Coordinates of all heavy atoms in Angstrom, one line a residue:
M1 N 47.2 160.9 121.4 CA 45.8 160.7 121.4 C 45.2 160.6 120.0 O 45.8 161.1 119.1 CB 45.1 162.0 122.1 CG 45.5 162.1 123.6 SD 44.6 163.4 124.4 CE 45.1 164.9 123.5
I2 N 44.2 159.9 119.9 CA 43.6 159.5 118.6 C 42.1 160.0 118.4 O 41.4 159.8 119.4 CB 43.7 158.1 118.2 CG1 45.1 157.5 118.3 CG2 43.0 157.6 117.0 CD1 45.3 156.0 118.1
D3 N 41.8 160.6 117.3 CA 40.5 161.1 117.0 C 39.6 159.9 116.7 O 39.9 159.2 115.7 CB 40.5 162.1 116.0 CG 39.2 162.7 115.7 OD1 38.2 162.4 116.3 OD2 39.1 163.6 114.7
T4 N 38.5 159.6 117.4 CA 37.6 158.5 117.1 C 36.9 158.7 115.9 O 36.3 157.7 115.3 CB 36.6 158.2 118.3 OG1 35.9 159.4 118.5 CG2 37.4 157.8 119.5
D5 N 36.7 159.8 115.3 CA 36.0 160.1 114.0 C 36.8 159.7 112.8 O 36.3 159.7 111.7 CB 35.6 161.6 113.9 CG 34.6 162.0 115.0 OD1 33.8 161.1 115.4 OD2 34.6 163.1 115.4
L6 N 38.1 159.3 113.0 CA 38.9 158.9 111.9 C 38.4 157.6 111.4 O 37.8 156.7 112.2 CB 40.4 158.8 112.3 CG 41.1 160.1 112.6 CD1 42.5 159.8 113.2 CD2 41.2 161.0 111.3
P7 N 38.7 157.1 110.2 CA 38.3 155.8 109.7 C 39.0 154.7 110.6 O 40.1 154.9 111.1 CB 38.8 155.8 108.3 CG 38.9 157.3 107.9 CD 39.3 158.0 109.2
T8 N 38.3 153.6 110.7 CA 38.9 152.5 111.5 C 40.3 152.1 111.1 O 41.1 151.9 111.9 CB 37.9 151.3 111.5 OG1 36.7 151.7 111.9 CG2 38.4 150.2 112.4
S9 N 40.5 152.0 109.8 CA 41.8 151.7 109.3 C 42.9 152.6 109.7 O 44.0 152.2 110.1 CB 41.8 151.5 107.8 OG 41.3 152.8 107.2
E10 N 42.5 153.9 109.7 CA 43.5 154.9 110.2 C 43.8 154.8 111.7 O 45.0 155.0 112.1 CB 43.0 156.3 109.8 CG 44.0 157.5 110.2 CD 45.3 157.4 109.5 OE1 45.4 156.8 108.4 OE2 46.3 158.0 110.1
I11 N 42.8 154.6 112.4 CA 42.9 154.4 113.8 C 43.8 153.2 114.2 O 44.8 153.3 115.0 CB 41.6 154.3 114.5 CG1 40.8 155.5 114.5 CG2 41.8 153.9 116.1 CD1 39.4 155.4 115.0
I12 N 43.6 152.1 113.5 CA 44.4 150.9 113.7 C 45.9 151.2 113.3 O 46.8 150.8 114.0 CB 43.8 149.7 112.9 CG1 42.5 149.3 113.5 CG2 44.8 148.5 112.9 CD1 41.8 148.3 112.7
K13 N 46.1 152.0 112.2 CA 47.4 152.3 111.7 C 48.1 153.1 112.8 O 49.3 152.9 113.1 CB 47.3 153.0 110.4 CG 48.7 153.5 109.9 CD 48.5 154.2 108.6 CE 49.9 154.7 108.0 NZ 49.7 155.5 106.8
Q14 N 47.4 154.1 113.4 CA 48.0 154.9 114.4 C 48.4 154.1 115.7 O 49.4 154.3 116.3 CB 47.1 156.1 114.8 CG 47.0 157.1 113.6 CD 46.3 158.4 114.1 OE1 46.3 158.8 115.3 NE2 45.7 159.1 113.2
V15 N 47.5 153.2 116.0 CA 47.7 152.3 117.2 C 48.9 151.5 117.0 O 49.8 151.3 117.9 CB 46.5 151.5 117.5 CG1 46.8 150.5 118.6 CG2 45.3 152.3 118.0
V16 N 49.1 150.9 115.8 CA 50.2 150.0 115.5 C 51.5 150.8 115.5 O 52.5 150.3 116.0 CB 50.0 149.3 114.2 CG1 51.2 148.6 113.7 CG2 48.8 148.4 114.2
N17 N 51.5 152.1 115.0 CA 52.7 152.9 115.0 C 53.0 153.5 116.3 O 54.1 154.1 116.4 CB 52.6 153.9 113.8 CG 52.6 153.2 112.4 OD1 53.1 152.2 112.2 ND2 51.8 153.9 111.5
C18 N 52.1 153.5 117.2 CA 52.3 154.2 118.5 C 53.2 153.4 119.4 O 53.0 152.2 119.5 CB 51.0 154.5 119.1 SG 51.2 155.4 120.8
P19 N 54.2 153.9 120.1 CA 55.0 153.2 121.1 C 54.4 152.7 122.3 O 54.9 152.0 123.1 CB 56.2 154.1 121.3 CG 55.6 155.5 121.2 CD 54.6 155.4 120.0
Y20 N 53.1 153.2 122.5 CA 52.4 152.9 123.8 C 51.3 151.9 123.5 O 50.7 151.9 122.4 CB 51.9 154.2 124.4 CG 52.8 155.3 124.6 CD1 52.7 156.4 123.8 CD2 53.9 155.2 125.4 CE1 53.6 157.5 123.9 CE2 54.9 156.2 125.5 CZ 54.7 157.4 124.7 OH 55.6 158.3 124.8
T21 N 50.9 151.2 124.6 CA 49.9 150.1 124.4 C 48.5 150.7 124.8 O 47.5 150.1 124.3 CB 50.2 149.0 125.4 OG1 50.3 149.4 126.7 CG2 51.4 148.3 124.9
R22 N 48.4 151.8 125.6 CA 47.1 152.4 125.9 C 47.1 153.8 125.4 O 48.0 154.6 125.7 CB 47.0 152.3 127.5 CG 46.9 151.0 128.1 CD 46.9 151.0 129.6 NE 46.7 149.7 130.1 CZ 47.8 148.9 130.4 NH1 49.0 149.2 130.1 NH2 47.5 147.6 130.9
I23 N 46.1 154.1 124.6 CA 46.0 155.4 124.0 C 44.7 156.0 124.2 O 43.6 155.4 124.0 CB 46.2 155.2 122.5 CG1 47.5 154.4 122.2 CG2 46.3 156.6 121.8 CD1 47.7 154.0 120.8
P24 N 44.6 157.3 124.7 CA 43.3 158.0 124.9 C 42.6 158.3 123.5 O 43.3 158.6 122.6 CB 43.7 159.3 125.6 CG 45.1 159.0 126.2 CD 45.8 158.1 125.2
L25 N 41.3 158.2 123.5 CA 40.5 158.5 122.3 C 39.7 159.8 122.6 O 39.1 159.9 123.7 CB 39.6 157.4 122.0 CG 40.3 156.0 121.8 CD1 39.2 155.0 121.6 CD2 41.1 156.1 120.5
W26 N 39.7 160.7 121.7 CA 38.9 162.0 121.8 C 37.9 162.1 120.7 O 38.1 161.5 119.6 CB 39.8 163.2 122.0 CG 40.7 163.4 120.8 CD1 41.9 162.9 120.5 CD2 40.4 164.3 119.6 NE1 42.5 163.3 119.4 CE2 41.6 164.2 118.8 CE3 39.4 165.1 119.3 CZ2 41.7 164.9 117.6 CZ3 39.5 165.8 118.1 CH2 40.6 165.7 117.3
R27 N 36.9 162.9 120.9 CA 35.9 163.2 119.9 C 35.6 164.7 120.0 O 35.4 165.2 121.0 CB 34.7 162.4 120.2 CG 33.6 162.6 119.1 CD 32.4 161.6 119.3 NE 32.7 160.3 118.9 CZ 32.7 159.2 119.7 NH1 32.3 159.4 120.9 NH2 33.0 158.0 119.2
S28 N 35.5 165.2 118.8 CA 35.2 166.7 118.6 C 36.3 167.6 118.9 O 36.7 168.5 118.2 CB 33.9 167.0 119.3 OG 32.8 166.2 119.0
E29 N 36.9 167.4 120.2 CA 38.0 168.3 120.6 C 38.9 167.4 121.5 O 38.5 166.5 122.2 CB 37.5 169.5 121.4 CG 36.6 169.2 122.6 CD 36.2 170.4 123.2 OE1 36.3 171.6 122.6 OE2 35.7 170.4 124.4
P30 N 40.2 167.7 121.6 CA 41.1 166.9 122.4 C 40.8 166.8 123.8 O 41.2 165.8 124.5 CB 42.5 167.6 122.1 CG 42.3 168.3 120.8 CD 40.9 168.8 120.8
D31 N 40.1 167.8 124.4 CA 39.8 167.7 125.8 C 38.6 166.8 126.1 O 38.5 166.4 127.3 CB 39.5 169.1 126.3 CG 40.7 169.9 126.8 OD1 41.7 169.3 127.1 OD2 40.7 171.2 126.8
N32 N 37.9 166.4 125.1 CA 36.8 165.5 125.3 C 37.2 164.0 125.1 O 37.0 163.4 124.1 CB 35.7 165.9 124.3 CG 34.4 165.0 124.5 OD1 34.1 164.6 125.6 ND2 33.7 164.8 123.4
I33 N 37.8 163.5 126.2 CA 38.3 162.1 126.1 C 37.1 161.2 126.3 O 36.4 161.3 127.3 CB 39.4 161.9 127.2 CG1 40.5 162.8 127.0 CG2 39.9 160.4 127.1 CD1 41.2 162.8 125.8

């Protein structure tokens, strides 16, 4: 899962390095998808 509060560049980096094509996004806490 990826924190949406991260910088866009960091989010893109995590998406590129992730082995999955669909990734949940959370804000404030991991349970808040």
Side-chain angles (χ1 to χ4, degrees):
M1 298 186 293
I2 298 178
D3 184 3
T4 56
D5 293 332
L6 293 174
T8 302
S9 59
E10 179 62 23
I11 293 177
I12 294 175
K13 180 180 178 181
Q14 291 191 25
V15 170
V16 171
N17 293 328
C18 181
Y20 310 112
T21 57
R22 297 172 177 86
I23 307 168
L25 302 174
W26 60 274
R27 180 175 288 122
S28 302
E29 58 181 14
D31 276 335
N32 183 31
I33 305 298

